[in-house]
Amino acid sequence: MIDKTSPLPIYYQLVELIKGMIEKGELKPGDSLPSEREYAERFKISRMTVRQAITELVNSGYLFRQKGVGTFVAEKKIEQQLLGLTSFTEDMQSRGMVPSSKLISFEIVSSPAYISEQLNIQEHAPVYEIKRVRLADGIPMALETTFVSANLVKGITEDTVSQSLYDYIEKQLSIKIGEATQVLESSIATQQESQYLKIKKGSPILLIQRNTKLADETPLEVVKSSYRADRYKFMITLKR
Ligand code: GLP
């Protein structure tokens, strides 16, 4: 289990051991972890070493600590491939999860200059501003603000955006979506983000801005999303 003659540091061996138990399902999300003292006694190692291993697992999102209660196994992160241009609805459905949206605001506003520029429309032209919490199996994953030109995509309703926007554009309007650029940045949750995502203010989040174009190159949307960093990770395949 823990090999003291191994050149691998003991804390690292414990990290791998606990990770392995989580990956094999021997420790499940929500399970509480044995105490530092129990681990120390079981493996005849110091509590400092146990603490170092647990801190590393907390930092990498496998475990979380609850003050005064203990340490628990975290929910598995959703791994999102950065390959195809997919919608939130498709992403969740392909994982067997049920997507839903909580509409926070939905209005047609006069386009601010920085949005007009990106959508290639005139300043003050009408745009939909749609703010939604995106959920998977009822758990908030991201807070998303979408800007779409109202002259380009007609007839969006509260009902449409409570479901899939891409589905409406492609299936109802038969408009072909082309490609997108996406920028990822790390940040921490503001008061508003923490409230909607049900996380503590200051928790790590991933900010994503997606600029999508139609197949004919017309800019379609500018979307700013805040994803929970404790539930999401992004994966990209690099080819040489
Ligand atoms: C993701 C993207 C958004 C896009 C949305 C469409 O969340 N980050 O840029 O607008 O998918 O999702 P849906 O079709 O489920 O509304």
Side-chain angles (χ1 to χ4, degrees):
M1 298 257 261
I2 297 266
D3 178 3
K4 289 191 179 151
T5 62
S6 161
L8 292 173
I10 292 171
Y11 91 90
Y12 176 79
Q13 292 185 48
L14 185 57
V15 165
E16 290 303 304
L17 193 135
I18 298 174
K19 251 194 217 173
M21 289 178 76
I22 295 173
E23 271 148 20
K24 280 186 238 141
E26 292 163 14
L27 277 171
K28 294 194 175 56
D31 281 357
S32 79
L33 222 67
S35 68
E36 282 177 15
R37 188 173 45 80
E38 279 173 72
Y39 271 128
E41 281 170 9
R42 193 187 307 169
F43 298 116
K44 310 228 165 358
I45 56 180
S46 79
R47 282 178 67 165
M48 275 272 286
T49 306
V50 177
R51 192 165 314 148
Q52 190 182 359
I54 290 178
T55 301
E56 176 149 332
L57 288 160
V58 168
N59 291 341
S60 53
Y62 282 90
L63 304 176
F64 67 94
R65 283 194 181 105
Q66 218 160 23
K67 256 207 184 119
V69 190
T71 307
F72 301 86
V73 179
E75 286 293 333
K76 207 167 170 251
K77 287 189 185 181
I78 289 177
E79 189 170 280
Q80 165 90 53
Q81 285 261 2
L82 289 174
L83 263 183
L85 173 54
T86 50
S87 71
F88 182 84
T89 303
E90 291 164 339
D91 289 341
M92 294 310 125
Q93 282 172 344
S94 68
R95 292 184 172 82
M97 299 175 99
V98 180
S100 62
S101 295
K102 189 171 158 235
L103 195 57
I104 295 167
S105 62
F106 173 80
E107 46 187 341
I108 293 186
V109 298
S110 149
S111 177
Y114 77 101
I115 295 293
S116 300
E117 212 173 282
Q118 297 177 64
L119 289 179
N120 199 15
I121 55 172
Q122 286 196 337
E123 203 178 325
H124 306 309
V127 286
Y128 288 103
E129 184 182 343
I130 307 153
K131 202 166 197 158
R132 303 182 277 178
V133 179
R134 315 298 314 257
L135 306 97
D137 288 344
I139 297 165
M141 292 290 160
L143 177 65
E144 201 155 73
T145 306
T146 309
F147 290 93
V148 189
S149 160
N151 291 326
L152 180 68
V153 183
K154 299 213 164 80
I156 302 179
T157 62
E158 294 198 5
D159 224 33
T160 319
V161 288
S162 296
Q163 305 190 16
S164 169
L165 180 62
Y166 281 12
D167 205 65
Y168 174 72
I169 293 170
E170 293 185 314
K171 301 223 172 96
Q172 305 290 315
L173 304 180
S174 304
I175 299 177
K176 224 173 153 11
I177 298 175
E179 57 178 47
T181 54
Q182 202 158 270
V183 179
L184 276 83
E185 247 178 286
S186 69
S187 187
I188 50 171
T190 60
Q191 177 67 41
Q192 199 201 35
E193 283 161 340
S194 65
Q195 182 193 329
Y196 288 124
L197 295 175
K198 299 211 164 71
I199 51 177
K200 283 205 193 100
K201 188 180 165 200
S203 305
I205 55 168
L206 293 157
L207 290 182
I208 297 180
Q209 175 165 329
R210 183 185 284 185
N211 287 59
T212 313
K213 288 185 198 162
L214 297 179
D216 69 3
E217 304 270 295
T218 311
L220 168 67
E221 60 170 5
V222 177
V223 185
K224 289 174 187 281
S225 315
S226 312
Y227 281 81
R228 283 174 58 162
D230 63 334
R231 302 303 301 266
Y232 247 89
K233 59 180 170 185
F234 292 86
M235 209 264 262
I236 186 157
T237 310
L238 305 170
K239 289 208 175 95
R240 189 159 163 92

